[in-house]
Amino acid sequence: ETGVTQSPTHLIKTRGQQVTLRCSSQSGHNTVSWYQQALGQGPQFIFQYYREEENGRGNFPPRFSGLQFPNYSSELNVNALELDDSALYLCASSPTGLAGGRRETQYFGPGTRLLVL
Amino acid sequence: GNSVTQMEGPVTLSEEAFLTINCTYTATGYPSLFWYVQYPGEGLQLLLKATKADDKGSNKGFEATYRKETTSFHLEKGSVQVSDSAVYFCALINSGGSNYKLTFGKGTLLTVNP
């Protein structure tokens, strides 16, 4: 049990729609990262937030965006959904961010499985 | 850039067999290394980690040693159980520059039969 929760657990959307996925980090963890895991693949880094600011981004288009809130919750928003967005979306929290925190262990939530039809 | 290469699966073993899953990495600087496990239908759980060369991570009978000279972090267990059936991911976080993301291998599916 990592103390990281995500909602919803499953979601079905159609192409072109927008979706918001939610994550609640462990208390005191001020860094949250989001990953996309396609079927049969390893997770791919989407972006990271530290103290409510984006702290780096992977190779994902701008229609993937996020927010982090002071209460250790965060959101991943995806606009104009495409079929290839179907995947398991994982959030991970860690206790520190920029200063000396780069090797901190990341603790994952159970994920949200998104299906785009 | 950073990359992780794992042995391809699936790996099928009988209960009490010895397990090795190979993992090698490419990275600048001094990465921390991790093994995560994913049970069917679930998220990722941290299995073990090592933060510097020659460190050995261990948990639940699994072990892996950070070998800088061979850039490897192979996962081993002396006697697997049916409950170990899962997908295992090797990953790294780099300690230098602006690298703060986990870079994962593609995963290795382990099936343990009774």
Side-chain angles (χ1 to χ4, degrees):
Chain A
E1 194 65 41
T2 64
V4 181
T5 60
Q6 291 186 245
S7 62
T9 55
H10 296 82
L11 202 52
I12 300 175
K13 292 286 189 179
T14 56
R15 242 179 344 175
Q17 285 189 309
Q18 179 266 342
V19 69
T20 297
L21 310 182
R22 294 180 172 83
C23 173
S24 180
S25 302
Q26 283 193 39
S27 179
H29 283 197
N30 50 20
T31 300
V32 65
S33 306
W34 286 89
Y35 294 83
Q36 180 196 66
Q37 186 181 14
L39 199 61
Q41 300 295 316
Q44 298 292 316
F45 176 73
I46 303 175
F47 45 55
Q48 184 178 82
Y49 278 77
Y50 172 65
R51 292 185 175 176
E52 303 163 49
E53 298 285 333
E54 189 177 291
N55 182 32
R57 190 177 185 90
N59 294 325
F60 283 81
R63 59 189 185 84
F64 285 77
S65 63
L67 286 171
Q68 185 186 24
F69 303 101
N71 64 351
Y72 305 113
S73 66
S74 60
E75 291 180 353
L76 164 64
N77 298 287
V78 187
N79 294 322
L81 283 166
E82 300 177 0
L83 298 179
D84 285 349
D85 296 334
S86 296
L88 179 67
Y89 288 86
L90 297 162
C91 79
S93 73
S94 51
T96 58
L98 290 171
R102 296 190 186 105
R103 291 192 283 185
E104 287 289 349
T105 300
Q106 295 188 12
Y107 296 92
F108 284 81
T112 294
R113 191 165 297 281
L114 172 65
L115 177 61
V116 182
L117 302 176
Chain B
N2 301 320
S3 67
V4 175
T5 303
Q6 288 181 238
M7 64 184 284
E8 293 196 13
V11 174
T12 302
L13 297 172
S14 298
E15 207 164 22
E16 299 183 2
F18 183 85
L19 168 71
T20 300
I21 301 178
N22 290 336
C23 171
T24 58
Y25 67 89
T26 300
T28 56
Y30 304 94
S32 293
L33 304 175
F34 303 83
W35 279 98
Y36 282 88
V37 58
Q38 187 172 38
Y39 297 101
E42 298 186 10
L44 297 176
Q45 297 180 23
L46 175 68
L47 182 59
L48 53 84
K49 68 176 183 179
T51 58
K52 62 183 187 296
D54 299 325
D55 268 2
K56 178 186 283 188
S58 61
N59 186 27
K60 300 181 181 179
F62 291 89
E63 293 183 339
T65 301
Y66 188 166
R67 301 285 188 201
K68 189 166 175 61
E69 64 275 14
T70 54
T71 61
S72 65
F73 193 54
H74 305 321
L75 182 68
E76 296 182 337
K77 186 175 185 182
S79 176
V80 293
Q81 306 299 311
V82 172
S83 57
D84 294 328
S85 297
V87 180
Y88 292 81
F89 291 95
C90 185
L92 67 83
I93 283 182
N94 214 330
S95 62
S98 61
N99 291 312
Y100 34 71
K101 63 180 182 181
L102 278 164
T103 298
F104 286 89
K106 292 187 176 181
T108 302
L109 173 63
L110 170 66
T111 301
V112 180
N113 295 317

